[in-house]
Structure formats: C-alpha cells, structure tokens
Amino acid sequence: MVNVDRSRFTAGRSIIAIAAAVSLAAFAAPAASAGTVTGRPAPPAPATSTGFGGAVSSVDASASAVGLEVLRDGGNAVDAAIATAAALGVTEPYSAGIGGGGYLVYFDAETGDVTTIDGRETAPAAMQSDAFINPATGAPYAFADAVSSGLSVGTPGTLATWEAALDEFGTTSLRDALQPAILLATKGFVVDQTFRDQTLANQARFAAFPDTAELFLPRGDAPKVGSVFKNLDLARTMRQIALGGTDVFYEGALADEIASVAQDPITTPGATLPAYPGHLSAGDLADYEVLEQAPTHIEYRGLDVYGMAPSSSGGTTVGESLNILENFDLAGADPVQALHLYLEATAHAFADRNAYVGDPAFVDVPTATLLSQGFADARACVIDPDAASVKPVPPAPLSAAGCDTAALDEPADTENISTTHLSVVDQWGNAVAYTLTIEQTGGSGMTVPGRGFLLNNELTDFSFVPNPADPNIVEPGKRPRSSMSPTIVLDDGEVRFVVGSPGGSMIITTVTQVLVNRIDLGMTLPEAVAAPRASQRNTAAVAAEPAFRAAYESSLATYGHAFSTSAEIGAVAAIEVGADGLMTAVAEPVRRGGGTGLVVEPAD
C-alpha cells in the first residue's frame, strides 16, 4: 500500500461550488429537455493547452472542465481523475459509467511509487467455461447476439475503483467527488454529433430494451445535436451512492435490480434479439473486490515506462513492443522503415500476448519474461528490417534465447473499440492514467430500470470456445483479458508523459505509436497524437486510417505489408511535463469529435 500525506493538500471552494462552475461552463444556454435546441452553443474547447499548476485531458469538454476545477480548488490528481471519470459516465454513457470497469495507474511524486488498481469486471460465480456455447447446436453463440444479452454482463468494478483510489490516494470523499457529475446529469449537457451518431448506430438494439429506449431514444429518435440531454435517473442513483456509499450499489435493492436485469433481460414486445439470460447475481456484486498491484515496468530510451499488469495485456504488450524496438535506431531510420519496424514489433508482441496473457489468478502469466529485454531481443532477431513477416507470426517459447518460435493457434479478437481514457497531473507532480469502459458502444444495450446507466458486455472479451490451452477462457470469478493501456512515463523519477486511449485491442498499438512518434520520431506531443495511425495486431492486413494509407501504403507495400481501412483508431488523452514544469495537455483534435486538454494556469 502507498501512503499519501494528505496534509499537503488544502481545499478552497466547496466541491458544490466546483459543480456549479462546471455546469455553467458546460453550456451557454438555459437547460432544456432532450430534443429542444438551445439558443447559443458554448465556444469550442481546446484540444491542446499549455501551462502550469496541473493539467487534465479527456475526450469530453465538460468532463475535462470538472477535473480542471478540482485541480484549481486544491485537489490532487486522484480527486480530479475520479470527478472527471464520474462526469464521463454522464456525457459518455455509451463508453463508460458505473455499470462497467477499468484500470487506474497512479504515480505518487513524494514517494516515487507507481501503483495500479485493477477494477476489471469479473465473471459471475455461476458462469462456466462453456457459457458461450449454444447447447442446441454445440457451436459458439454469434458474437452480436451474445453482446446484447445478460450473458455478457460482468460484475462492475468502476465504483469500487473510485472508492479505493480516493481512500488510498485522494484527499476528498466519494460523496464530494460525485457532486459535479450529479449536477451535470441533472442540468444536462449539450448533445454533439458524436453522441447522436453513436445513439443512431445503436438504435435498433436500444429499441429492443424498453428502459434503454425510454432514456436514449426519446420519442423514438436519438437526441438532436444542440439539444440538452438530461439523465435524472442517473442523477438520483449517484445521489443515493453519494449519501450511502458504494454499499448502495454492491448490496441491497440496487444490486438486486442489476442482477435481475442480467438474469432476465427485459425486452420490447416483438423484439428479435435473443437477449440470452446471464449469470450475474447479487452475491457476485457483494463479493466484488478491486486489486491493488504493482505496475509493469520497462526502460525505453532511458525513460521508465509503467503500465497495467495482467489481467490487462496492455502493460506487457506495450512493454514488449518497446523492448523489441529498443534494438533498432528508429530516430536514425528512414521514417517508412521506422513504421515498418513498429508494425513488426507489435505483431510479434501480440502473438505472445495471445498465447500467454490472461487473469493471473487463474493462469500462470509469465509477466517477467514477457517484459524482459532478453525475450524481446529474441523477438527482434526474427524481424527483417527490410521485409514484413508472414502473418500471423507464431509466439516465441518462453525459453527463447535466439530466433525460436512456437506453434499455437491465434484466438479471434472480439474486444470492442468503445472505451474512454483520462490523464491528470496535479501541481505536486502526482499523476493518474485511467482507462474505463463498458466495452461495446452502448455496452450490453441494457439499462437498469429507473437507474439511468447501461450495463457492460465485458464478458464477450473472453474467448468463446473453452480451449484449455487458451489463457482467456471463461472461468467463475475470472477477469477477462483486456487491452486497456493506461501508461505513465517517468524521466529521472518525475512524470514526463501520461498516455492512454480507447480502441479495443488497438489501444495497445495506439499508445505504442504515440510514444514512438514522440520519443523516437521527433514529433511534438500534439503532433504525435494527431498523426495518422495504423495497427498491426498479428493479422494478415494492417488496420490503418485513410490518412495513413494515403501517406504510407505504397511505400510500406514494398516491405510486404497489406492494408485494410479502419475509419478511426483510438482517441488519445495525454499530458507531457517538460523539464521546466511546463505542462502540455493534449486530446484528439478530430477523432471521436475531438477532445479537450486543459491546464490550471495557461502559459502566456
């Protein structure tokens, strides 16, 4: 456990005043009901800000504003991160919220320690390894059918993460940290094109669940751009949690309601979705615990890179990818060859991820080996600097000392792209990288009646076929493997970068590419975030954004790389702290509608 001297922090204005300030900043017209167009939109928030005194970055302007006000009021990085995360549960309900889970990485500037909290969802105690096998056919359920069902719902860990982080490292209470989000849900937020598009993309399955349709499809349509969307049910739920603590969620009536929805999904008459019943029980909720554990750690170009250990594969796979690249002079290489080496390194790291990484409570995960430079050197040995390997490449045996490989089947990747991430650094140099999710855009599609939040579909991150050789099969109480990669990079014991992203399994490659762009290829952090992306996850074709294909496909094709199009890869929220203490808060300028990076004291 890491002890924090809370006497360092002083509180100024009450967090109620913070909530009021954020509410006023969130929109510039009086609140209206969903579907009513407001008179005057707020000015666009900056994707990048530079200055001092603390910084916060997220995909959403209102959520970033919440975190900024907490920092301005004397709160530390954890206080701001949890308040920001709660706000994201309001404004990004299809990506995050109290019905999901996530991973938090924390750096304590006073002690120099990095700690993580694993708040990943768990499989119910009654769920067996053949849970995704249709007993009528003996074949796995169709993925799309499993998503929108109780079968996909894992025990949520988000609220437990917030409580644990605040109790261990924060200076405020969960009650106070929830207040800005409660006010935001009560007064509402302005609907943007991304929110409307995400709603429309889920319209058919949202309509199949009456409580979801009532909340997110008022009068049968997605909320209009420019309208103000209120979630009074969520405000009431969070108010109850603020007053009664997390026991309100994990025990009692609300726990029973969550379990009831998962076990017996409520569907609209005539709905065609199978909506399979699930296994989540009130007992699973009462028994849930987060895990505080050591981070992953590697050294890259003289920097210390810390990430999330299993059950996430993010820290091991980002770490292995960078360790492989340590063998190559990317800064001195031709830019196209540098990209070729990046693609090859991540392909080989993904082969090892798929072969060896799962929940360490159930699988003997060779974390130390996967993060060792010697293992990475063996992987680099099989990479041709001038030619792409045939994909998928096999994993390396754990005893690899040369150019060995092993023959194992590649399991299908079903991890969804919709997640969210926030990065925070405070005035004392403490930092948080926090990635949270409900998995699919819209999670399971099921809203707890009268409670205002969607339940996750995280259990679809498990492999559907119960192959004993697969480290990611379903087991009771097990955490499904994740690719979430909240990352903190230190330089001589001080924060240099805080990085993370949504994007399913492409989170790993997104974080790796941003770090390579910044550290090796000479880009500024805003340039590194905005640059076109490609993701090689040991597949026959490289998934690439249209801009990446336009710029690099013809050149990389000469190495043997093939491409497929991914319209958008990731949505990074990052912070850089310079040697002089200057903070640069960076969010996406375009992807996912653009994000917001803010600083407490803007530079002149």
Side-chain angles (χ1 to χ4, degrees):
M1 291 292 193
V2 177
N3 296 315
V4 176
D5 180 6
R6 293 185 174 89
S7 66
R8 291 181 294 150
F9 310 117
T10 57
R13 294 171 295 154
S14 73
I15 205 155
I16 301 296
I18 291 173
V22 169
S23 178
L24 291 173
F27 53 86
S33 60
T36 302
V37 178
T38 61
R40 181 166 59 91
T48 296
S49 300
T50 58
F52 301 91
V56 59
S57 179
S58 83
V59 75
D60 181 75
S62 296
S64 292
V66 164
L68 184 70
E69 289 299 318
V70 173
L71 292 176
R72 281 178 172 164
D73 199 51
N76 73 2
V78 168
D79 302 332
I82 302 311
T84 303
L88 285 169
V90 176
T91 60
E92 289 268 291
Y94 307 146
S95 299
I98 59 177
Y103 299 99
L104 186 147
V105 179
Y106 171 67
F107 169 67
D108 186 288
E110 185 176 58
T111 65
D113 292 329
V114 179
T115 309
T116 74
I117 297 175
D118 180 335
R120 181 68 158 156
E121 299 86 344
T122 56
M127 193 168 188
Q128 301 302 312
S129 295
D130 61 354
F132 288 107
I133 301 297
N134 187 334
T137 65
Y141 289 117
F143 180 78
D145 290 343
V147 165
S148 302
S149 73
L151 191 61
S152 69
V153 180
T155 313
T158 292
L159 270 171
T161 300
W162 296 352
E163 180 180 56
L166 289 169
D167 285 351
E168 186 68 23
F169 309 118
T171 71
T172 191
S173 66
L174 179 63
R175 173 175 178 166
D176 284 349
L178 291 178
Q179 296 307 316
I182 291 170
L183 192 56
L184 191 57
T186 302
K187 289 184 172 292
F189 62 91
V190 176
V191 172
D192 62 10
Q193 191 64 52
T194 299
F195 186 87
R196 177 168 172 80
D197 288 346
Q198 289 179 337
T199 309
L200 290 173
N202 284 280
Q203 188 168 17
R205 73 186 191 111
F206 282 3
F209 299 107
D211 298 289
T212 304
E214 181 181 2
L215 178 59
F216 295 114
L217 296 171
R219 294 174 293 281
D221 188 21
K224 303 291 186 184
V225 174
S227 66
V228 174
F229 183 84
K230 300 179 182 181
N231 192 337
L232 301 181
D233 288 343
L234 180 58
R236 282 191 292 269
T237 300
M238 289 197 296
R239 194 173 294 114
Q240 291 173 6
I241 294 166
L243 293 172
T246 58
D247 284 352
V248 169
F249 185 89
Y250 288 102
E251 300 177 18
L254 180 51
D256 291 337
E257 292 165 23
I258 293 169
S260 177
V261 171
Q263 293 178 22
D264 187 17
I266 304 166
T267 57
T268 303
T272 58
L273 285 176
Y276 305 119
H279 302 281
L280 183 67
S281 71
D284 293 315
L285 286 153
D287 291 340
Y288 183 83
E289 293 182 353
V290 300
L291 303 175
E292 185 178 317
Q293 58 189 19
T296 60
H297 172 239
I298 65 152
E299 293 183 8
Y300 185 68
R301 314 296 192 203
L303 301 170
D304 292 290
V305 181
Y306 293 91
M308 195 69 216
S311 59
S312 176
S313 65
T316 57
T317 315
V318 170
E320 184 182 347
S321 298
L322 293 175
N323 278 342
I324 292 170
L325 291 172
E326 189 83 57
N327 287 272
F328 303 97
D329 179 14
L330 300 187
D334 173 83
V336 173
Q337 186 179 51
L339 288 170
H340 158 68
L341 293 169
Y342 151 70
L343 295 173
E344 289 296 288
T346 56
H348 285 77
F350 259 88
D352 300 325
R353 164 201 186 262
N354 292 346
Y356 301 122
V357 180
D359 183 345
F362 294 81
V363 180
D364 186 12
V365 182
T367 300
T369 299
L370 294 175
L371 291 171
S372 70
Q373 190 60 55
F375 186 78
D377 293 347
R379 300 308 267 145
C381 181
V382 301
I383 292 176
D384 186 336
D386 300 312
S389 54
V390 177
K391 310 297 187 307
V393 300
L398 296 176
S399 59
C403 297
D404 297 331
T405 58
L408 286 177
D409 292 333
E410 282 289 295
D413 172 40
T414 57
E415 195 170 355
N416 198 259
I417 63 171
S418 188
T419 299
T420 196
H421 177 84
L422 63 95
S423 295
V424 182
V425 178
D426 64 29
Q427 61 181 301
W428 300 279
N430 305 303
V432 171
Y434 183 22
T435 311
L436 59 161
T437 184
I438 59 171
E439 178 61 6
Q440 194 90 359
T441 303
S444 66
M446 300 188 300
T447 300
V448 181
R451 296 297 192 170
F453 65 92
L454 288 154
L455 292 176
N456 69 82
N457 67 290
E458 296 293 348
L459 301 186
T460 58
D461 278 353
F462 282 119
S463 302
F464 279 25
V465 178
N467 175 6
D470 186 340
N472 194 41
I473 61 171
V474 182
E475 296 179 74
K478 190 175 185 179
R479 285 162 157 83
R481 181 174 60 207
S482 170
S483 295
M484 288 183 273
S485 307
T487 303
I488 294 177
V489 180
L490 304 183
D491 184 1
D492 196 24
E494 296 184 347
V495 173
R496 187 63 65 234
F497 306 112
V498 184
V499 186
S501 176
S505 57
M506 288 190 279
I507 294 172
I508 290 168
T509 57
T510 296
V511 170
T512 302
Q513 188 174 3
V514 167
L515 291 175
V516 167
N517 286 347
R518 177 68 188 93
I519 297 168
D520 292 300
L521 303 186
M523 298 183 193
T524 66
L525 187 60
E527 290 169 343
V529 169
R533 293 188 189 127
S535 177
Q536 173 51 275
R537 294 156 294 156
N538 202 22
T539 53
V542 177
E545 294 176 333
F548 188 96
R549 296 190 69 173
Y552 301 111
E553 180 171 7
S554 60
S555 298
L556 285 168
T558 64
Y559 287 81
H561 294 286
F563 291 86
S564 63
T565 297
S566 182
E568 190 174 271
I569 296 177
V572 171
I575 298 170
E576 177 173 353
V577 183
D580 59 354
L582 180 69
M583 298 182 185
T584 304
V586 182
E588 297 284 356
V590 176
R591 294 179 184 95
R592 204 145 132 180
T596 302
L598 300 173
V599 294
V600 172
E601 300 172 7
D604 293 334

